[in-house]
Amino acid sequence: MLIINCPYCGPREESEFACGGEAHIARPLAENSISDAEFADYLFLRDNPKGLFLERWRHTAGCRRWFNVARDTVTHEIIEVYPMGALPRKAKAMETHAASWRRNTAAEKAAQKPVRQKASTRKTGGTASKRRSR
Ligand SMILES: [Zn+2]
């Protein structure tokens, strides 16, 4: 049985956890337009590698919180546990993250685009610059 070190509760048996599948899948924003094929890639395609894999796990019988795990799918060795929204720090896990085919997908690029500012926000910026000129 796998022992997983929950970042919030400490080491616990695998039976207390649920695997949530592949980590670091960027969701395109609602206002972004990507093709149907690109959206299907985001929605349905998941890696299943032999070797190091970055996964999401949830401590379902404990704190019920999500976190990421860098785990070797052959040896089940857990190389790193790190919080949601963060990137791995260990070199092997960083390489796996950088080498993923997802790093240049349309969904990931669309999710990284900054959201346009509304016209009312820009007006506020103009008022602020007038104040500075006094
Ligand atoms: Zn926990």
Side-chain angles (χ1 to χ4, degrees):
M1 176 167 290
L2 216 68
I3 300 294
I4 299 173
N5 190 11
C6 173
Y8 310 102
C9 306
R12 300 287 196 276
E13 292 186 355
E14 178 186 355
S15 60
E16 291 190 15
F17 296 87
C19 184
E22 188 175 354
H24 307 291
I25 298 175
R27 179 184 176 87
L29 301 173
E31 63 269 21
N32 296 135
S33 59
I34 61 175
S35 73
D36 289 348
E38 291 165 338
F39 191 75
D41 284 355
Y42 150 74
L43 196 59
F44 299 114
L45 287 186
R46 297 294 181 263
D47 276 347
N48 188 19
K50 186 177 179 182
L52 194 60
F53 191 45
L54 307 179
E55 303 170 316
R56 301 176 310 155
W57 282 78
R58 184 171 180 232
H59 195 182
T60 48
C63 62
R64 305 176 77 180
R65 294 171 86 172
W66 287 93
F67 55 92
N68 293 317
V69 172
R71 182 179 66 93
D72 191 307
T73 59
V74 177
T75 63
H76 298 292
E77 179 191 3
I78 294 175
I79 291 175
E80 184 177 0
V81 174
Y82 55 101
M84 296 298 289
L87 293 175
R89 291 183 177 176
K90 300 224 171 155
K92 280 171 99 178
M94 284 171 58
E95 283 173 25
T96 302
H97 179 266
S100 170
W101 65 273
R102 291 189 188 283
R103 296 297 73 88
N104 290 313
T105 59
E108 186 167 271
K109 286 177 185 169
Q112 292 171 347
K113 281 183 186 170
V115 179
R116 283 186 175 177
Q117 287 186 333
K118 291 179 181 174
S120 60
T121 312
R122 276 187 235 135
K123 274 186 178 177
T124 308
T127 309
S129 62
K130 282 180 186 174
R131 284 184 198 145
R132 267 185 253 132
S133 62
R134 286 181 188 169

